[in-house]
Amino acid sequence: MTLKRTLVSVLPLILALLVVTTSFYQSLGENGTYPMILNPKFKYLTRDQVTGGYKPFLWEVTYTKGPKDYAYTHRDTVEGLECLGLHVYQDGANDSYNWASIHVKQVLRGESISRLFESIIEIWVYPNFSFARDPMSNEPWNVFGLEINDGRNMVWLIFSEGPDEVYQLRNHRIIIVSTPLKHWAKRQIDLDKIYSDANWERPEDLSLILICGATKMVSGKYSGYIKEIRIEKK
């Protein structure tokens, strides 16, 4: 029994090591450099202790929600493509949380930052809803996109129908990336250009965050899907 319990306890560690190793070697570039993003296709999942479901392995997932809101990740299939689904329900109640949202994050540091700024971020997305905002203040009411957060400055790249647009809220830069709803689309992001246009200094580390959420102003169910994130040399 002792041997059996030992095997049961170490199996998750062995599986984790195999996943990390596989992800590492599958992500190596032609020059053998280590990958900046691990599990970029969200193929590997692990138990989410918060929701009881599953979340992408090697990604940190956090939630903001009221008592009757919900938010979770799920391995979905959309139009025949396997992907990561971000699912949120905002009940619109006047509770202590203005947002019901989900954040799926990896942190990049050191050499990865230099490489990232010399590269293009490619992301395959499937947005399901249009971006909405306060007509007076321009404060977002919902979001599906990619957040870049270096601790001082924050960028939201929002995938939504309509024209491309850029505007600033204090240290929060909003970039609307024109993307058709309910269709798969590949979008490219030049982080070096974003920082140059904003006159921001290149950071020493930053968080790459997938986000989906809605405020009390626009209650309802929200979802968006991401198939893959790739970092390509310019």
Side-chain angles (χ1 to χ4, degrees), residues 134-216:
D134 187 298
M136 299 299 293
S137 67
N138 273 334
E139 291 284 351
W141 281 348
N142 61 18
V143 61
F144 169 64
L146 179 66
E147 176 181 321
I148 307 293
N149 193 326
D150 66 22
R152 296 196 331 180
N153 301 299
M154 179 169 62
V155 181
W156 274 11
L157 295 126
I158 298 173
F159 304 111
S160 178
E161 62 184 351
D164 292 338
E165 184 181 352
V166 180
Y167 67 92
Q168 190 82 23
L169 297 172
R170 299 173 297 281
N171 66 334
H172 188 179
R173 196 167 183 83
I174 307 291
I175 301 176
I176 301 171
V177 182
S178 180
T179 310
L181 299 185
K182 301 186 183 301
H183 290 280
W184 281 111
K186 180 177 72 174
R187 291 296 178 261
Q188 295 185 326
I189 298 160
D190 186 337
L191 196 56
D192 186 50
K193 184 178 187 306
I194 290 172
Y195 268 67
S196 295
D197 290 348
N199 293 315
W200 293 342
E201 294 183 3
R202 185 178 296 190
E204 295 182 359
D205 57 65
L206 59 79
S207 296
L208 191 72
I209 309 170
L210 308 171
I211 54 174
C212 182
T215 67
K216 304 170 189 176

Side-chain angles (χ1 to χ4, degrees), residues 3-150:
L3 178 59
K4 184 177 180 180
R5 284 197 298 269
T6 301
L7 288 173
V8 170
S9 64
V10 301
L11 278 175
L13 296 177
I14 295 172
L15 178 60
L17 180 60
L18 288 172
V19 168
V20 172
T21 303
T22 302
S23 180
F24 180 87
Y25 282 106
Q26 286 181 343
S27 303
L28 281 177
E30 293 181 359
N31 59 357
T33 55
Y34 62 86
M36 280 179 278
I37 300 176
L38 296 174
N39 195 15
K41 297 182 180 180
F42 317 104
K43 291 173 62 176
Y44 309 108
L45 305 177
T46 187
R47 178 69 70 176
D48 188 332
Q49 299 300 323
V50 176
T51 65
Y54 288 89
K55 63 180 181 179
F57 187 59
L58 300 171
W59 292 80
E60 178 187 348
V61 182
T62 57
Y63 308 92
T64 300
K65 57 189 180 69
K68 294 184 179 180
D69 303 328
Y70 66 67
Y72 65 92
T73 61
H74 192 264
R75 183 68 177 170
D76 292 306
T77 300
V78 177
E79 293 188 0
L81 299 178
E82 292 189 348
C83 57
L84 178 69
L86 308 184
H87 300 270
V88 171
Y89 171 67
Q90 165 62 261
D91 70 350
N94 189 26
D95 50 45
S96 57
Y97 294 95
N98 191 43
W99 282 84
S101 63
I102 183 169
H103 296 68
V104 183
K105 178 175 75 172
Q106 275 194 37
V107 179
L108 283 70
R109 297 184 176 92
E111 183 186 343
S112 292
I113 298 297
S114 298
R115 290 172 56 200
L116 186 65
F117 275 79
E118 295 166 0
S119 304
I120 295 292
I121 303 172
E122 289 190 348
I123 182 168
W124 283 90
V125 295
Y126 189 103
N128 264 331
F129 57 90
S130 298
F131 173 59
R133 57 184 162 179
D134 187 298
M136 299 299 293
S137 67
N138 273 334
E139 291 284 351
W141 281 348
N142 61 18
V143 61
F144 169 64
L146 179 66
E147 176 181 321
I148 307 293
N149 193 326
D150 66 22

